[in-house]
């Protein structure tokens, strides 16, 4: 996967946070299913485990979502657009995301296990194809939005948190996937392609 140079320069946070930190990203326009269903699941999880939420939503929903998490004593950072998105990925333990190629490349490069919920209306179902690429390499979990319920999401997330061996395996597989993806290596490959043409 191609990512910007900043990703090669950042010192990656390899430690799990004291409060398990979720980065929830449905895009800057927000995704209703992320704002409602995922928020409900996070509130249930917070009743048993200390968590922190970093969540992307649309501008109009920031205050509402912040108030909901605050009223449930969940530490949170709610935003619509973040120029240094890399820092938010780096702060997180687990990402819940759509499956755009760039988003998955960036999360993957940072070695953050993720739950992909591909946009079902994406042209040629390309988001599901993107997610399957990582799933087949043991790097993530994929949930089809058409069968997604709060209980389904809750079950998957709680299993991830409680069964750390699977979580650690995903991190290891992400590291293997990106092992040869250095800035120098990418530059050399691009130069070869340009010179061939």
């Amino acid at each position: 996967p191609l990512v910007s140079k900043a990703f090669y320069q950042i010192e990656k946070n390899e430690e799990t946070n004291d409060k398990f930190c979720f980065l929830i990203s449905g895009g800057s326009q927000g995704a209703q299913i992320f704002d409602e269903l995922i928020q409900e699941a996070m509130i249930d999880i917070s009743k048993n485990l200390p968590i922190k939420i970093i969540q992307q939503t649309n501008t109009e929903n920031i205050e509402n979502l912040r108030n909901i998490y605050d009223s449930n004593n969940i530490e949170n950072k709610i935003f619509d657009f973040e120029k240094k998105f890399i820092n938010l990925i780096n702060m997180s333990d687990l990402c819940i995301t759509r499956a755009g190629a760039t988003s998955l490349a960036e999360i993957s490069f940072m070695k953050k296990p993720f739950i992909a919920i591909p946009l079902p209306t994406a042209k040629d179902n390309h988001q599901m194809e993107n997610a399957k690429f990582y799933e087949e390499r043991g790097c993530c979990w994929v949930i089809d939005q058409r069968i997604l319920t709060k209980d389904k999401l809750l079950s998957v997330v709680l299993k991830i948190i409680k069964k750390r061996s699977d979580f650690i395996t995903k991190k290891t597989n992400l590291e293997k996937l990106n092992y040869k993806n250095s800035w120098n290596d990418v530059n050399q490959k691009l130069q070869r392609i340009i010179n061939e043409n």
Side-chain angles (χ1 to χ4, degrees):
L2 290 174
V3 295
S4 73
K5 192 170 186 177
F7 281 80
Y8 296 89
Q9 297 169 329
I10 194 167
E11 185 177 336
K12 295 177 186 171
N13 175 19
E14 303 284 356
E15 302 300 316
T16 303
N17 294 295
D18 293 336
K19 288 184 178 179
F20 197 86
C21 184
F22 293 89
L23 173 60
I24 302 166
S25 173
S28 59
Q29 297 306 305
Q32 190 172 6
I33 199 159
F34 279 56
D35 288 345
E36 294 174 5
L37 188 147
I38 294 177
Q39 159 225 302
E40 291 170 10
M42 292 297 117
I43 290 168
D44 281 5
I45 291 165
S46 74
K47 291 172 183 170
N48 300 303
L49 295 161
I51 63 171
K52 178 179 179 178
I53 306 291
I54 303 170
Q55 186 164 346
Q56 185 177 38
T57 188
N58 63 57
T59 309
E60 294 76 31
N61 195 41
I62 290 176
E63 200 62 36
N64 175 53
L65 203 52
R66 185 179 292 133
N67 289 338
I68 289 169
Y69 286 133
D70 285 346
S71 67
N72 285 278
N73 298 311
I74 301 171
E75 186 180 345
N76 65 84
K77 174 181 172 58
I78 311 299
F79 68 101
D80 61 344
F81 175 78
E82 177 61 52
K83 198 171 182 180
K84 295 190 176 179
F85 194 62
I86 183 174
N87 293 332
L88 301 182
I89 298 171
N90 203 27
M91 290 166 58
S92 68
D93 295 305
L94 177 74
C95 301
I96 302 176
T97 181
R98 287 300 193 192
T102 301
S103 296
L104 297 191
E106 292 175 350
I107 292 167
S108 160
F109 189 80
M110 296 298 289
K111 295 191 291 186
K112 299 295 179 177
F114 59 91
I115 299 171
I117 304 173
L119 181 67
T121 56
K123 185 170 171 49
D124 299 327
N125 207 24
H126 74 269
Q127 286 206 5
M128 183 60 81
E129 295 299 317
N130 294 341
K132 290 290 185 188
F133 171 86
Y134 291 95
E135 184 183 44
E136 286 163 7
R137 286 153 184 81
C139 297
C140 72
W141 300 265
V142 178
I143 304 176
D144 188 329
Q145 182 175 309
R146 291 168 293 198
I147 60 162
L148 181 63
T149 62
K150 184 187 89 167
D151 289 340
K152 167 84 173 163
L153 180 64
L154 206 50
S155 169
V156 170
V157 172
L158 288 174
K159 201 177 289 183
I160 290 167
I161 294 172
K162 290 175 181 174
K163 192 180 176 189
R164 284 303 174 103
S165 58
D166 195 22
F167 180 79
I168 291 164
T169 298
K170 297 280 191 279
K171 284 181 82 79
T172 303
N173 290 340
L174 285 163
E175 188 167 10
K176 287 177 188 171
L177 182 67
N178 289 295
Y179 174 68
K180 291 186 177 178
N181 192 5
S182 70
W183 183 250
N184 191 43
D185 187 49
V186 169
N187 274 344
Q188 287 176 355
K189 286 178 183 172
L190 288 172
Q191 285 173 358
R192 276 199 304 274
I193 292 167
I194 290 166
N195 290 337
E196 283 173 5
N197 296 312

